[in-house]
Amino acid sequence: MCVTATVNSTIATYELKSLNQLGWMAIGFGSHMANSPMVILWQTVNGTVILSQRQATGRVEPLPVTDPPRRATVALRDHTSQGVSTILAFDIPKNNDTIQSLVWAFGVTAPAADPSAFIQQHLDAGAFSLNLSKELEVASVSASGPTASSTQLGGPSIAVDPAPPQSSPVTASNLLHTDGLLVAHAALSAAGFLILLPLGTLVARWARVFTPRWFTAHWFINVVLGIPLVCVGWALGPLAVAQRGRAHVVTPHQICGVALIVLYIFQLALGTLVHLRRPKDGKGHPPRNVGHVVLGLAVFGLSIYTTISGVDRDAEESGASQRVVVAICIGWAAVFAGTYSIGLLFLRRQLAQERLGWNVPESVPVPLPVMVAGTRASSELVAARRRATTVVNRLADDGTHDMFSPPAWVSSLEAGGEAAGEEQTRTEMRQVQAVPVSLSAFI
């Protein structure tokens, strides 16, 4: 946004030039937003310029003022667009200020064609001062140096007197530092919410039918890697907003960001509860398990929307760049949805494995068969008992024993029937019945 002022004997004319997408532009006569008389300009779709004089009690929407201290009128000139820049101007009676303090703001959403219409919060704002000690007979005098530098930063460009402004709280270094925070906020948040968390979700969906170590990978991605990136990236957003002096939790991007971090924390807590309170028999899926899955998918969907809403409100990004980012987000959402949906084809296999006690997150060893009193614990007997326990903690069941008593072939081996025991071993291995044992059975 660029501001140009022209002063004659009784009238001061202010020109507001849009350097980005034009919604509305405003300046206020004061050093703070609160209680400063403001003049807000915007253009309707048919080219009509709407002028609204307002005042705010704080960092809230300014309300129309019916009797302002100085009444402004739309300047009688052709408000044409120069390339992508639109110039709107207004006239206002001159006051006796020689050094004039002003605030500026602009938004990218045009209000309705009514001076009292609702105005969406500004995209950027700041303060500056003007030296009005000279009266100019010409239309305007431009200072090319300040205009070139401040235009690139999105701040106000002052063109009143060849002398520079007396003060400018919105400095180049501050804006560049803020832009760096926003870039870091976007990069870290995208890495956490759009890459790591969806990856952890896909690992839980796909790997659980192939390995019992799926939970370790799921936990490592979401907790060890995800928490630092998500928390640091999210915190940089409010920090950048505070440095720009803008309001918090008012735009859709900010509101969704707060909701997103709350859901993420709740998701972590719910996942911990699901893992610590697994069913004793290792079967079934309580509502908390289903809720954990649904909430994880909701977090990813909200992350996509939050990213898109954040890109759309950045007027410094070109339209082409915004479209590329939005296309990437939509494409990644489609890839994730398709990959996750294919993983649901393994759901039947997962449930069958859970009934057999396979691929559970924790591997709790099943006790060896209880030794019969007076039995000689020979090396052959120990080896036979080890063969009875498979790598997935299963015991063969021929109907002659339970999980705490030896099968018939072990008993025959203990009685000295080694040959018979070996024959029974071959018969025993033909049918295996898994007996999952929960940790809670031994606590």
Side-chain angles (χ1 to χ4, degrees):
M1 174 178 170
C2 177
V3 178
T4 302
T6 304
V7 182
N8 57 33
S9 58
T10 59
I11 297 295
T13 301
Y14 293 87
E15 291 184 352
L16 281 61
K17 180 180 180 180
S18 171
L19 303 178
N20 304 106
Q21 175 184 348
L22 174 61
W24 58 267
M25 297 181 289
I27 61 172
F29 298 92
S31 56
H32 302 283
M33 178 179 178
N35 302 318
S36 294
M38 303 177 189
V39 178
I40 305 175
L41 299 170
W42 67 89
Q43 201 169 25
T44 63
V45 292
N46 59 5
T48 303
V49 178
I50 305 297
L51 184 148
S52 178
Q53 292 190 255
R54 304 192 179 203
Q55 192 164 319
T57 57
R59 293 182 180 275
V60 295
E61 180 191 2
L63 300 178
V65 177
T66 56
D67 189 17
R70 294 183 294 166
R71 187 169 295 279
T73 57
V74 177
L76 299 178
R77 63 186 64 196
D78 185 16
H79 299 278
T80 58
S81 298
Q82 300 179 356
V84 295
S85 301
T86 301
I87 299 177
L88 305 180
F90 67 91
D91 297 329
I92 193 168
K94 173 190 171 185
N95 58 12
N96 296 323
D97 294 339
T98 56
I99 302 298
Q100 190 172 67
S101 297
L102 298 171
V103 293
W104 59 272
F106 68 88
V108 295
T109 303
D114 183 355
S116 60
F118 167 77
I119 295 181
Q120 195 175 68
Q121 185 196 14
H122 54 72
L123 181 65
D124 207 350
F128 63 100
S129 61
L130 294 178
N131 183 357
L132 302 181
S133 59
K134 293 183 179 181
E135 293 185 0
L136 304 179
E137 299 298 333
V138 295
S140 66
V141 177
S142 64
S144 59
T147 300
S149 60
S150 60
T151 294
Q152 297 175 0
L153 297 173
S157 297
I158 312 306
V160 174
D161 190 280
Q166 298 297 317
S167 62
S168 180
V170 183
T171 63
S173 60
N174 287 341
L175 285 175
L176 288 175
H177 178 62
T178 303
D179 291 342
L181 290 178
L182 290 177
V183 171
H185 163 68
L188 294 178
S189 298
F193 284 108
L194 297 182
I195 298 178
L196 288 180
L197 299 189
L199 180 60
T201 301
L202 293 177
V203 166
R205 177 65 269 154
W206 278 77
R208 66 192 309 150
V209 297
F210 299 105
T211 174
R213 297 182 180 179
W214 68 267
F215 177 78
T216 302
H218 176 71
W219 171 84
F220 184 82
I221 292 173
N222 285 277
V223 176
V224 177
L225 299 181
I227 288 181
L229 286 179
V230 167
C231 292
V232 174
W234 185 90
L236 291 179
L239 181 61
V241 171
Q243 288 198 355
R244 289 198 173 204
R246 292 155 66 178
H248 296 272
V249 198
V250 290
T251 66
H253 178 72
Q254 295 171 345
I255 295 173
C256 290
V258 173
L260 194 58
I261 194 65
V262 171
L263 290 179
Y264 174 67
I265 295 174
F266 184 74
Q267 174 75 338
L268 290 177
L270 183 59
T272 303
L273 177 64
V274 167
H275 183 66
L276 297 178
R277 298 288 302 274
R278 292 186 298 115
K280 295 182 179 180
D281 57 358
K283 305 175 183 178
H285 294 273
R288 59 177 176 269
N289 295 50
V290 180
H292 181 63
V293 174
V294 174
L295 187 58
L297 299 177
V299 167
F300 176 71
L302 185 59
S303 301
I304 293 293
Y305 176 78
T306 304
T307 303
I308 293 177
S309 64
V311 173
D312 288 343
R313 70 185 298 269
D314 189 356
E316 296 181 1
E317 291 289 337
S318 65
S321 300
Q322 291 178 351
R323 288 191 294 271
V324 169
V325 174
V326 171
I328 292 175
C329 290
I330 295 176
W332 170 227
V335 170
F336 174 85
T339 306
Y340 191 87
S341 299
I342 295 175
L344 291 176
L345 298 177
F346 296 102
L347 184 59
R348 184 176 179 181
R349 178 178 178 180
Q350 171 195 335
L351 298 177
Q353 290 180 349
E354 289 176 352
R355 286 192 296 269
L356 296 175
W358 294 5
N359 295 334
V360 292
E362 295 178 348
S363 181
V364 181
V366 177
L368 290 176
V370 179
M371 294 184 62
V372 180
T375 303
R376 177 172 52 91
S378 63
S379 59
E380 288 184 300
L381 179 59
V382 173
R385 287 173 176 169
R386 288 178 178 174
R387 288 196 300 268
T389 305
T390 65
V391 291
V392 291
N393 300 324
R394 302 192 304 274
L395 287 175
D397 185 9
D398 59 355
T400 64
H401 68 288
D402 54 24
M403 62 181 294
F404 295 105
S405 61
W409 66 270
V410 176
S411 300
S412 64
L413 183 60
E414 293 173 355
E418 182 175 354
E422 292 177 353
E423 179 64 20
Q424 289 289 342
T425 300
R426 291 191 294 269
T427 305
E428 191 73 17
M429 295 302 292
R430 294 177 184 175
Q431 184 175 1
V432 178
Q433 176 66 39
V435 181
V437 177
S438 174
L439 180 63
S440 60
F442 306 101
I443 298 179

